[in-house]
Amino acid sequence: MPIQNYQLFERISGMYDVKVPASVTEALQLIKEDDDKVKTYGAEYGVELANTLLQGGAPGVHFFTMNLEQAVCSISRQIGGIDRRLSWQKGQACSLSANCEEEVRPIFWANRPHSYMERSAAWDEYPNGRWGDSRSPAYGEVRISTMYHGTKEERRRAWGVCPGRPEDINETFARYIEGVVLRIPWCVTALAQETSPLRTTLQRFNRAGFLTINSQPALNCIESSDPSGWGPPNGYVYQKAYLEFFCSPERFEELRESFSTFGNLTYHAIDAQGTAHSNCCNVNAVTWGVFPGREILQPTVVDPESFIAWRQEAFELWKVWGTIYDKSSVSRALLDKIRSTYWLVNVVDNDFVKGSTTHDGFGSIYEIVDGLIVDGPCVCHDDLAARE
């Protein structure tokens, strides 16, 4: 049972006369007044203990959650307990086996893989490229946790002490792209290696009000052993340029009017209330690979139904940010307004051949967004600072 807080740890260890290693007692004595640090230590020690048992020949590990499952899920991810063999992180070795049941995933959870794992952990079968009704309980309950982002104080230092304007939020997103901010609610890890050439472009987009949470450049026949590749050796991989972001209603209207001039771009857009617009109703493969002795693999897709399911989680994550500020503060009001009025948009450049050779792999996605930025900034919100 993971250590959740010091009082519970003392009570249970005393109740059952558990002999606690001196190193654990000493470590907890230093942090016993800080519940967040105790939880973090408990998870780290749980990983260490579970790995020791498994490496020593134990057939498995039994966890007691006490209705506090987040710590157990965190430990399981780190020891591989709920890991599955299909990875969005294509820069890492992908260990897809010939009999792997799960061969396709929607791209939207690429930067929150733990969430997708938890929401689909009980599935008996995995879709082969087409997901069902987004309202289906099969998608699992949305459970938003702050444990991946640190204490409120740590998050406030990283995301802004008291943001009062949309530009302050834009800057936090840009600082994540720069690597100054280590994580934001939609991205619990550092930027993927394949996205590194896009850093300058993404910083510019974010500062202009296109708040990016997921992206990939186009690739055309890259060896699977390349740092941007994935999968078994001696293969070749392909992908379409992809960008997902939040933007204001004004920005979205400008963008929507521009799509008609870019026939190779498809998009989906949705707001917090579920109002949606799109120019494509089909599942769109955005990553695929060709490997010796295998059928073509297409592990990543843009699926309209999954995007609707992802919408609820994506907008709820604004609350993770908002909870670090007082309810009556300008910062809380700003984040609430962004959550209730902004659009979540994904765009795919389907011409991966031309796209891979222009604008660092962003192709026409760069051109449509850059055109709006060049035309001048868009006034997105009233000045909420007056409400201080």
Side-chain angles (χ1 to χ4, degrees):
M1 184 177 70
I3 301 170
Q4 300 280 0
N5 64 66
Y6 187 75
Q7 290 74 21
L8 180 63
F9 163 75
E10 270 200 324
R11 186 166 69 249
I12 291 181
S13 58
M15 185 184 301
Y16 296 102
D17 195 25
V18 177
K19 298 187 183 305
V20 180
S23 60
V24 174
T25 302
E26 292 169 3
L28 287 172
Q29 280 294 327
L30 298 174
I31 59 174
K32 63 181 182 180
E33 303 298 333
D34 190 324
D35 284 348
D36 287 333
K37 289 183 179 179
V38 171
K39 286 180 182 179
T40 299
Y41 174 80
E44 291 173 351
Y45 183 68
V47 172
E48 179 185 338
L49 188 59
N51 282 333
T52 300
L53 291 169
L54 293 171
Q55 291 166 10
V61 180
H62 185 106
F63 290 101
F64 292 89
T65 67
M66 302 293 286
N67 291 326
L68 299 170
E69 79 284 353
Q70 292 294 340
V72 172
C73 289
S74 176
I75 294 169
S76 297
R77 284 192 296 275
Q78 295 178 69
I79 65 174
I82 58 173
D83 184 35
R84 300 202 292 264
R85 287 168 287 185
L86 187 60
S87 174
W88 283 282
Q89 306 302 324
K90 306 177 192 69
Q92 303 171 1
C94 178
S95 56
L96 279 167
S97 64
N99 62 353
C100 179
E101 293 182 358
E102 185 187 22
E103 294 188 345
V104 184
R105 284 183 186 164
I107 195 172
F108 316 118
W109 284 271
N111 292 322
R112 285 178 57 82
H114 64 276
S115 175
Y116 185 80
M117 297 292 192
E118 290 171 9
R119 294 183 69 171
S120 60
W123 289 4
D124 296 323
E125 297 180 357
Y126 301 108
N128 61 3
R130 188 174 297 277
W131 278 254
D133 191 329
S134 60
R135 296 167 295 181
S136 169
Y139 277 98
E141 181 182 354
V142 178
R143 297 179 180 180
I144 304 298
S145 170
T146 62
M147 70 180 296
Y148 308 103
H149 308 289
T151 65
K152 284 188 176 182
E153 291 72 21
E154 290 169 339
R155 283 179 279 152
R156 195 178 289 115
R157 286 196 298 269
W159 302 343
V161 176
C162 53
R165 305 174 305 154
E167 290 79 7
D168 299 331
I169 305 300
N170 300 353
E171 186 61 25
T172 298
F173 275 82
R175 285 163 59 84
Y176 168 72
I177 300 298
E178 291 173 350
V180 177
V181 174
L182 299 182
R183 62 183 65 84
I184 54 177
W186 303 269
C187 308
V188 297
T189 58
L191 209 62
Q193 181 177 348
E194 68 174 1
T195 312
S196 294
L198 303 174
R199 283 184 187 272
T200 301
T201 295
L202 291 174
Q203 289 169 31
R204 183 164 172 264
F205 285 3
N206 279 283
R207 289 190 169 105
F210 296 94
L211 306 179
T212 64
I213 59 173
N214 199 349
S215 61
Q216 70 176 31
L219 298 176
N220 182 23
C221 201
I222 299 295
E223 292 183 358
S224 58
S225 58
D226 185 88
S228 296
W230 54 274
N234 303 315
Y236 292 91
V237 300
Y238 305 78
Q239 64 187 33
K240 299 173 183 177
Y242 176 82
L243 185 65
E244 184 178 344
F245 54 88
F246 291 99
C247 68
S248 69
E250 295 84 358
R251 276 298 192 200
F252 175 62
E253 284 306 313
E254 294 174 340
L255 189 68
R256 189 180 173 195
E257 292 173 2
S258 301
F259 277 117
S260 61
T261 61
F262 292 89
N264 52 316
L265 296 182
T266 51
Y267 79 94
H268 300 85
I270 195 165
D271 65 10
Q273 292 72 41
T275 304
H277 297 283
S278 176
N279 64 355
C280 178
C281 60
N282 299 317
V283 177
N284 191 353
V286 291
T287 306
W288 63 99
V290 181
F291 304 96
R294 302 287 301 276
E295 295 182 0
I296 292 178
L297 301 179
Q298 64 167 57
T300 314
V301 299
V302 169
D303 171 67
E305 287 292 337
S306 293
F307 187 59
I308 296 172
W310 161 242
R311 179 263 308 180
Q312 182 183 1
E313 181 173 339
F315 280 100
E316 282 294 302
L317 287 167
W318 285 104
K319 292 183 178 179
V320 173
W321 193 335
T323 53
I324 66 178
Y325 307 111
D326 292 337
K327 289 184 178 180
S328 60
S329 67
V330 168
S331 299
R332 186 71 164 264
L334 171 64
L335 291 163
D336 286 346
K337 185 167 186 179
I338 288 175
R339 182 178 62 83
S340 63
T341 62
Y342 271 39
W343 286 81
L344 177 64
V345 185
N346 73 69
V347 185
V348 178
D349 184 351
N350 293 283
D351 190 344
F352 63 92
V353 176
K354 290 182 180 178
S356 65
T357 62
T358 58
H359 306 299
D360 294 319
F362 250 174
S364 294
I365 293 178
Y366 176 92
E367 295 172 10
I368 191 171
V369 177
D370 179 71
L372 299 180
I373 297 174
V374 170
D375 286 343
C378 178
V379 178
C380 304
H381 285 283
D382 297 330
D383 185 7
L384 290 174
R387 297 177 58 180
E388 186 74 73

